[in-house]
Amino acid sequence: MPPKLMIPGPVDVEAAVLDMLAEPVQAHYGDEWVAIHNETLELLRQVFVTEGRVYMLPGSGSLAADAVIHSMFKPGDRIALGINGFFGIRWREIIEANGMTPVVIETPLDQPLDPAAFDRLLAEDPSIAGVAAVQLETSTALLNPIRAIAQVTRKHDKLFVVDAVSGLAGAEYRMDEWGVDATVSGSQKGLGGVAGIGLAALNDRAWAAVEQAGPARSWYLDLRRWEWYVQNWADWHPFPITMPCSVILALRVALQSLLAEGLDNRLRRCETLAQRLRAGLVEIGMELFIPETLMSPVLTAAYCPPGAKSADVVRFVAEQHNIKITAGFGAVKDQVVRIGHMGAMISENDIDRLLDALRHFVDEYAAQAARPDEG
Amino acid sequence: MPPKLMIPGPVDVEAAVLDMLAEPVQAHYGDEWVAIHNETLELLRQVFVTEGRVYMLPGSGSLAADAVIHSMFKPGDRIALGINGFFGIRWREIIEANGMTPVVIETPLDQPLDPAAFDRLLAEDPSIAGVAAVQLETSTALLNPIRAIAQVTRKHDKLFVVDAVSGLAGAEYRMDEWGVDATVSGSQKGLGGVAGIGLAALNDRAWAAVEQAGPARSWYLDLRRWEWYVQNWADWHPFPITMPCSVILALRVALQSLLAEGLDNRLRRCETLAQRLRAGLVEIGMELFIPETLMSPVLTAAYCPPGAKSADVVRFVAEQHNIKITAGFGAVKDQVVRIGHMGAMISENDIDRLLDALRHFVDEYAAQAARPDEG
């Protein structure tokens, strides 16, 4: 029996997704494939809630982030960047690797980014070209106030780029309505596909920036090349490379299932599961890492039972209960565990099984701690 | 029934590969995954016939080419480039997109690159930093003389970078012995996996160039980043991103099967099938596009039956016989068809079925051509 995945992605995928992966290989060109490709893009637009351009970029979420930064900005550009965890730091690496300068607004791991701080920075420094932030900071389960940061960014007429890799289809996200200019995500988290596709969604403002961004510094990361194929090879092969058809077909099935359930219904389901899990954790004595109001509906970070280390908790629930959770990140790595409940495949029963496993851990741990006194 | 794929990739994959794709999702970190990852790299080294570094780069073969050019050379570098087809032109795009200058040695579509021309160019122009060429030019089925170009390149102490995307495991290729410094390939052709992974193999000379190549211009394409994770996250996550585990597991199964058959045995099998196909084509009156001695063992390009167009031939064998072949490229697109016979899944029976289909086409075509006279 493979372990139940309750990590922050990849997620267990539905049987129909696995079945699709086992279908014979298809060619990545011609009428039939173009129809599948375009339908998948249309489903993705519904999930990003955008009417903008969407690209499926074989690779990963970070590849999509790299492509968006590479394509929308120029070397030397200054980009305001919110950092309150590992994936904020990832944005910094990507911005710097592209020869741009991140202007960092840092907040502690357990506090959301502050839209007012972005407002002040953008008012003080008109040289800043854009703003980057992470929606769900996977390293802490914290959900940043993307909508409010988008408002501030738009007020200053700057470009806003969001990492929604782990949050998309798990927390409310309305790209066009909120005024986010570009969003990156991946196939293997809330969308319920398997890993292998980075996603980039760009509105017309973002696209105008791409068109003005000067010479590319890469072949693959240049979104103008992807768009050229959309425009010029539309009927045959609307992308520049061999697409991983199996992974895209799997993603399409997952998206169809997600949209059949309904995006809002999925989000509500995630919230209900999150509440059940968090109430149980508190009962067990596992304090939440951040207040529930700051936490995303699809990922929970909680302190270990008093005295215990995250590695021990993770190993125990894996070995004794066949459930995979993971440790915290950065300074709280040893004290915190992270529990993913994203995607279609988490049920109340899974939540209860995990809570039983954690209760079991607490009992065993207490018994072990008691043992020296018995001797 | 899905069509039998006899295109230049992707290939039909073995049942065991599809079965593996249908296995539950795995996490991309921890002991178990690191062991799978490292084993897959070891199998790949056997196929590249190298003891160098190998990277699995989620994306495509062109992504791997982009990463190698980006990482080994500096903007402004001059790179001697052989072009005799579409994928030579792809190298040019990649070199130019990275801000480098291709110094092109072009030969006609039906003629192999000339090692002596590289020798003269490298003797005349010591400013050239490296040489790039395509092994199997997928657009024409032509196999370029990589071994001889490697000798010339090494003689001038330059770096040699080879696109072996469609030729690897289909035509002899011995990276270390031949003195190729970097090779790029993909998962979905001769290796017998599904699409989704670009591969890059680098020897120590290539790696020394990477270390001296100055600042990166991208996050994802910088091979130093990939190597940093190999060195520093070896036990947990020896790569910077979420890997497409399903695709890698499928590739591992395909590589295990390939190496169980034996690389040399596979190549001999491909040659036998190629001879059978080509003898049959000539018998039907479909002249080979280039002499058999120039053609790769895994791809055949042939002129259509006199008077017929490639689109008609391709459609006929698809609709009437459920076999997918494809048209030629560039100037000979309408006159030439290309027939792939790479990977593990092509049998004598498939070759014979295709020949029957083509005979059937010739008969029907002759009958149709005769009809106006009957009127």
Side-chain angles (χ1 to χ4, degrees):
Chain A
M1 257 300 262
K4 179 72 196 172
L5 296 184
M6 296 186 75
I7 54 179
V11 299
D12 282 330
V13 302
E14 292 169 280
V17 174
L18 293 178
D19 289 348
M20 180 53 79
L21 283 167
E23 289 288 313
V25 169
Q26 291 199 25
H28 57 285
Y29 49 76
D31 293 346
E32 201 182 339
W33 182 257
V34 169
I36 291 168
H37 180 83
N38 290 341
E39 185 200 331
T40 310
L41 291 178
E42 191 44 46
L43 299 172
L44 286 167
R45 278 190 198 93
Q46 294 178 46
V47 178
F48 283 104
V49 197
T50 184
E51 294 182 354
R53 291 167 171 83
V54 175
Y55 302 94
M56 294 189 277
L57 305 171
S60 73
S62 293
L63 168 92
D66 202 21
V68 161
I69 292 293
H70 181 283
S71 298
M72 283 177 60
F73 298 100
K74 289 186 278 292
D77 273 357
R78 292 158 60 74
I79 301 173
L81 167 63
I83 296 184
N84 57 347
F86 182 81
F87 287 95
I89 296 170
R90 171 67 53 96
W91 262 139
R92 184 171 69 197
E93 290 177 10
I94 290 171
I95 291 168
E96 289 177 344
N98 279 280
M100 299 148 197
T101 303
V103 183
V104 174
I105 299 180
E106 200 159 359
T107 59
L109 286 186
D110 57 356
Q111 286 174 32
L113 298 174
D114 177 12
F118 286 90
D119 195 13
R120 284 192 298 274
L121 175 63
L122 294 175
E124 282 164 15
D125 186 349
S127 78
I128 286 174
V131 173
V134 176
Q135 179 205 20
L136 163 48
E137 179 46 81
T138 321
S139 64
T140 60
L142 188 147
L143 203 59
N144 279 310
I146 294 302
R147 185 176 198 165
I149 301 172
Q151 276 174 342
V152 164
T153 306
R154 186 61 68 91
K155 187 178 90 179
H156 292 279
D157 197 24
K158 304 300 180 186
L159 294 163
F160 189 28
V161 179
V162 172
D163 166 347
V165 172
S166 61
L168 195 67
E172 194 189 19
Y173 191 78
R174 306 183 72 80
M175 178 168 159
D176 288 359
E177 190 184 316
W178 292 2
V180 176
D181 298 303
T183 309
V184 299
S185 194
S187 46
Q188 79 282 5
K189 303 211 186 222
L191 304 187
V194 297
I197 311 279
L199 301 166
L202 287 84
N203 69 11
D204 286 344
R205 286 162 48 92
W207 190 255
V210 170
E211 288 190 322
Q212 292 157 19
R217 285 89 58 210
S218 145
W219 186 91
Y220 195 88
L221 301 176
D222 183 2
L223 291 177
R224 287 172 298 194
R225 183 177 317 283
W226 292 79
E227 183 63 21
W228 188 91
Y229 280 84
V230 171
Q231 298 298 331
N232 293 283
W233 282 27
D235 296 338
W236 175 246
H237 191 308
F239 33 75
I241 57 146
T242 300
M243 294 298 268
C245 298
S246 310
V247 179
I248 289 174
L249 286 163
L251 176 61
R252 186 176 64 143
V253 170
L255 291 168
Q256 286 165 339
S257 164
L258 167 60
L259 292 164
E261 178 175 354
L263 194 51
D264 290 343
N265 293 335
R266 172 70 60 87
L267 298 187
R268 267 196 295 275
R269 178 150 73 99
C270 292
E271 297 216 7
T272 307
L273 292 170
Q275 284 161 13
R276 189 181 188 91
L277 172 64
R278 290 162 192 172
L281 289 171
V282 170
E283 226 180 80
I284 294 171
M286 291 178 69
E287 195 193 335
L288 299 181
F289 175 62
I290 48 176
E292 200 166 354
T293 50
L294 298 180
M295 224 182 262
S296 96
V298 285
L299 182 60
T300 295
Y303 286 99
C304 295
K309 288 204 156 178
S310 60
D312 297 326
V313 179
V314 168
R315 191 183 318 110
F316 184 89
V317 301
E319 289 177 359
Q320 302 284 318
H321 295 266
N322 204 29
I323 303 173
K324 203 170 175 97
I325 64 173
T326 195
F329 233 101
V332 296
K333 187 176 192 298
D334 290 341
Q335 290 87 56
V336 166
V337 291
R338 289 178 300 149
I339 300 159
H341 31 98
M342 47 186 63
M345 294 289 285
I346 303 289
S347 65
E348 287 193 356
N349 184 47
D350 295 319
I351 299 290
D352 293 347
R353 272 188 58 221
L354 175 64
L355 288 169
D356 284 345
L358 292 169
R359 262 181 224 108
H360 186 191
F361 174 84
V362 170
D363 293 346
E364 293 275 314
Y365 189 77
Q368 270 181 31
R371 223 163 282 153
D373 294 332
E374 294 165 2
Chain B
M1 255 301 264
K4 178 73 197 173
L5 295 183
M6 295 185 74
I7 55 178
V11 298
D12 283 330
V13 302
E14 293 169 278
V17 174
L18 293 178
D19 289 347
M20 181 52 80
L21 282 167
E23 289 287 315
V25 169
Q26 292 200 23
H28 57 287
Y29 48 77
D31 293 347
E32 202 182 338
W33 182 258
V34 169
I36 290 168
H37 181 83
N38 290 340
E39 185 199 331
T40 311
L41 290 178
E42 191 44 48
L43 298 172
L44 286 167
R45 278 189 198 94
Q46 294 178 45
V47 178
F48 283 104
V49 196
T50 185
E51 295 183 355
R53 290 166 172 81
V54 175
Y55 302 94
M56 293 190 278
L57 304 171
S60 74
S62 292
L63 167 93
D66 202 20
V68 161
I69 292 293
H70 180 283
S71 298
M72 283 176 61
F73 298 100
K74 288 184 280 291
D77 274 357
R78 291 158 60 75
I79 300 173
L81 167 63
I83 297 185
N84 57 347
F86 181 81
F87 287 94
I89 296 170
R90 172 67 51 97
W91 263 139
R92 185 172 67 197
E93 290 177 10
I94 290 171
I95 291 167
E96 288 176 346
N98 279 280
M100 301 148 196
T101 303
V103 182
V104 173
I105 299 180
E106 200 158 358
T107 60
L109 285 184
D110 58 356
Q111 286 174 32
L113 297 174
D114 176 11
F118 286 90
D119 195 13
R120 285 192 298 275
L121 175 62
L122 293 175
E124 282 163 16
D125 186 348
S127 78
I128 286 174
V131 172
V134 176
Q135 178 204 22
L136 163 49
E137 181 42 85
T138 321
S139 65
T140 60
L142 188 147
L143 204 59
N144 279 310
I146 294 303
R147 185 178 196 162
I149 300 172
Q151 275 174 343
V152 164
T153 307
R154 186 62 66 91
K155 187 179 89 177
H156 292 279
D157 196 24
K158 304 298 179 188
L159 293 164
F160 189 29
V161 179
V162 172
D163 168 346
V165 172
S166 61
L168 194 67
E172 193 190 20
Y173 191 78
R174 307 182 69 80
M175 178 169 160
D176 287 359
E177 190 184 316
W178 293 3
V180 176
D181 298 304
T183 309
V184 298
S185 194
S187 46
Q188 80 282 4
K189 302 207 186 229
L191 303 189
V194 296
I197 310 280
L199 301 166
L202 288 83
N203 70 11
D204 285 344
R205 286 161 48 92
W207 191 255
V210 171
E211 288 191 323
Q212 291 157 21
R217 284 90 58 208
S218 144
W219 185 91
Y220 195 89
L221 300 176
D222 182 2
L223 292 178
R224 287 172 299 194
R225 185 177 318 283
W226 292 79
E227 182 64 20
W228 189 91
Y229 280 85
V230 171
Q231 299 297 333
N232 293 283
W233 282 27
D235 295 338
W236 174 246
H237 191 308
F239 33 75
I241 57 145
T242 299
M243 295 297 269
C245 297
S246 310
V247 179
I248 289 174
L249 286 163
L251 176 60
R252 185 176 64 143
V253 169
L255 291 168
Q256 285 165 340
S257 165
L258 167 60
L259 292 165
E261 178 175 355
L263 195 50
D264 290 343
N265 294 334
R266 172 70 63 88
L267 298 186
R268 267 196 295 275
R269 177 149 75 99
C270 292
E271 297 216 7
T272 306
L273 293 171
Q275 283 162 11
R276 189 179 188 93
L277 172 64
R278 290 161 191 172
L281 290 171
V282 169
E283 223 179 82
I284 295 170
M286 292 179 66
E287 194 192 335
L288 299 181
F289 175 62
I290 47 175
E292 200 167 353
T293 49
L294 297 181
M295 224 182 263
S296 94
V298 285
L299 182 60
T300 295
Y303 287 99
C304 295
K309 285 203 158 178
S310 59
D312 297 325
V313 180
V314 168
R315 193 184 316 109
F316 183 90
V317 302
E319 288 176 0
Q320 302 284 320
H321 295 267
N322 204 29
I323 302 172
K324 202 170 177 96
I325 64 174
T326 195
F329 233 101
V332 295
K333 185 176 192 302
D334 289 342
Q335 291 89 54
V336 166
V337 291
R338 290 177 299 149
I339 300 160
H341 31 98
M342 47 186 63
M345 293 290 285
I346 303 289
S347 65
E348 287 193 357
N349 184 47
D350 296 318
I351 299 290
D352 293 346
R353 274 188 56 220
L354 175 63
L355 289 168
D356 284 345
L358 292 168
R359 261 181 224 108
H360 185 190
F361 174 84
V362 170
D363 293 346
E364 293 274 314
Y365 189 78
Q368 270 182 28
R371 223 163 283 154
D373 292 335
E374 293 164 4

